[in-house]
Amino acid sequence: MNKRNIIFLLLAAVVSFGALAQGHKNLRITEVMVAQDSTQYGGTTAGWVELYNSSYQAYAIEKMFITDKRPDQIFTKANEDIAYQREQVRGRDAVLRYLSEDPLKTGVYMIPRGDERNTNLGEHGQCVFVADGQIQNGTFHLPFKFADGKENYIAVYDVNGDLVDELTIPASLKASQSYALKAEGRLPIEGAEHNGDFEMRDGSSIEKAITPGNFNTRIKNENIEKFHQHDPYGVIITIIAMLIVFSALILLFLLFKLFGYVSDKSLNKNAAPAAPQAVEPQASITATAPEAGEEEIAAICMALYQHFNAHDEESGVLTFKHNTATAWNSKEQMMCPTPQRK
């Protein structure tokens, strides 16, 4: 392997690691509910956690970890485990191994593989995990429950055991109230400590809506709101739209007329005038006709007469006259010729 290939592989590894790290930063906890008064979501009264992908590309969350244990608790339990000590598994390796243990024993849930259709979050996508302690019910069920009336904690770790996001839920959060991020935003929230960006919601208004699996905020356009106040029935916007359309048509008509006028001018200007052709003077030919004689004049007159009087006028009536004289009874034909002396 030459030097160029080695450099290329190193650069590819750095870029891949950076993209992976950036993908982990884009995953955030955006809304949490500790308990429900009724089976509003998930068919249970248990609470739920909403995760949000704030990036512009899809991100797979499989093999990531969700837990209600704080990092110091996980580190302590992982390094005090007798089995890990026997195998001399310490530090980061012990934490990663502890995260991968039985979730019912450790309270750490590893998002399973094999459900790529649901665990592959699209751009600005959300998913909700139900904290009911019933992981046998499906991929989106956690092995722990939140304690109502007490302070709760939730954290998300990536596949390498690094903390991605964490949230401390206040004890004052009542049942059927959510602890939601004020605005998801289009960029990841810097830092895992972001409790100041959260608020309690009870669903009493649009601003306080509880939105599991949806955006927490409905972005409003101030200009649209003002226009709606001045024109509630849309009459002004209709007139403006019609004026814009007809103005555009008139402008196009004028442009086409101007284009045709300019094209005709340029064609007439570029066309070269045809050079006048020299007309050679024709030589006058004078032929002296010979004097016609009397016979020629008579022949010409006869020809003209025959031309204009080619046929006699006929009445169109046929007349048959009976002739009783025949060659048998004609006396003239019975006479002998006069004899001649020779």
Side-chain angles (χ1 to χ4, degrees):
M1 184 179 295
N2 54 23
K3 186 176 181 181
R4 181 180 296 178
N5 292 336
I6 294 175
I7 295 174
F8 177 77
L9 292 176
L10 290 175
L11 289 174
V14 171
V15 172
S16 301
F17 180 78
L20 183 61
Q22 184 65 27
H24 294 163
K25 290 181 180 180
N26 290 329
L27 189 66
R28 292 295 169 185
I29 302 171
T30 52
E31 192 170 8
V32 179
M33 180 176 285
V34 174
Q36 305 180 76
D37 288 336
S38 59
T39 58
Q40 298 173 357
Y41 187 87
T44 177
T45 57
W48 45 263
V49 181
E50 180 188 72
L51 300 183
Y52 171 66
N53 176 22
S54 63
S55 67
Y56 286 93
Q57 59 183 359
Y59 180 64
I61 61 173
E62 57 185 15
K63 299 187 68 176
M64 295 185 68
F65 304 96
I66 303 176
T67 182
D68 60 345
K69 303 294 187 296
R70 296 183 181 273
D72 54 348
Q73 294 176 335
I74 294 176
F75 185 82
T76 301
K77 290 185 177 181
N79 286 276
E80 290 180 354
D81 191 283
I82 299 177
Y84 293 173
Q85 293 178 1
R86 292 175 180 176
E87 299 177 10
Q88 296 183 355
V89 179
R90 300 288 182 181
R92 184 186 182 88
D93 295 335
V95 172
L96 186 58
R97 183 170 175 177
Y98 181 82
L99 292 174
S100 304
E101 291 287 350
D102 183 9
L104 297 178
K105 175 184 177 181
T106 61
V108 180
Y109 180 66
M110 183 177 71
I111 302 173
R113 301 184 62 180
D115 194 7
E116 290 83 1
R117 185 180 63 179
N118 297 319
T119 58
N120 190 21
L121 296 183
E123 56 175 332
H124 306 301
Q126 300 97 349
C127 65
V128 179
F129 290 85
V130 180
D132 58 355
Q134 305 291 329
I135 59 174
Q136 69 274 8
N137 290 340
T139 302
F140 296 96
H141 291 264
L142 300 176
F144 54 85
K145 294 182 179 181
F146 293 120
D148 190 11
K150 297 182 180 180
E151 184 179 87
N152 291 273
Y153 175 84
I154 187 73
V156 179
Y157 291 82
D158 64 6
V159 295
N160 298 319
D162 297 325
L163 180 63
V164 175
D165 196 14
E166 62 179 358
L167 180 65
T168 300
I169 308 165
S172 58
L173 186 66
K174 298 179 181 180
S176 294
Q177 288 184 344
S178 70
Y179 195 52
L181 188 65
K182 296 178 182 178
E184 287 91 350
R186 295 303 182 186
L187 295 175
I189 303 168
E190 296 295 336
E193 297 288 344
H194 53 65
N195 286 62
D197 299 323
F198 277 70
E199 63 181 359
M200 295 184 184
R201 296 186 175 185
D202 55 3
S204 59
S205 63
I206 296 178
E207 290 76 14
K208 297 293 183 179
I210 300 174
T211 57
N214 294 289
F215 288 104
N216 293 355
T217 57
R218 180 179 296 177
I219 300 174
K220 294 183 179 180
N221 191 316
E222 296 181 358
N223 296 327
I224 295 177
E225 294 296 329
K226 292 179 180 179
F227 199 90
H228 180 69
Q229 293 177 1
H230 292 85
D231 184 25
Y233 299 103
V235 177
I236 298 177
I237 192 65
T238 302
I239 296 174
I240 293 175
M242 294 179 66
L243 289 176
I244 292 174
V245 171
F246 284 107
S247 300
L249 292 175
I250 294 172
L251 181 60
L252 287 174
F253 173 76
L254 295 176
L255 288 176
F256 282 121
K257 290 287 290 184
L258 180 61
F259 179 75
Y261 176 77
V262 173
S263 299
D264 292 341
K265 280 288 186 182
S266 58
L267 289 175
N268 294 333
K269 185 178 180 179
N270 295 331
Q277 297 181 357
V279 180
E280 298 181 357
Q282 296 182 358
S284 59
I285 302 173
T286 57
T288 56
E291 296 181 1
E294 296 178 357
E295 296 180 356
E296 288 80 359
I297 293 173
I300 292 172
C301 292
M302 182 59 69
L304 292 173
Y305 178 80
Q306 291 292 335
H307 175 72
F308 291 107
N309 302 283
H311 300 282
D312 296 336
E313 294 183 3
E314 298 179 357
S315 60
V317 178
L318 298 178
T319 302
F320 297 94
K321 185 179 180 181
H322 181 68
N323 188 7
T324 57
T326 62
W328 298 101
N329 58 5
S330 178
K331 294 180 179 181
E332 292 83 3
Q333 294 181 6
M334 294 178 62
M335 294 181 63
C336 297
T338 303
Q340 297 180 358
R341 182 182 289 180
K342 297 182 180 180

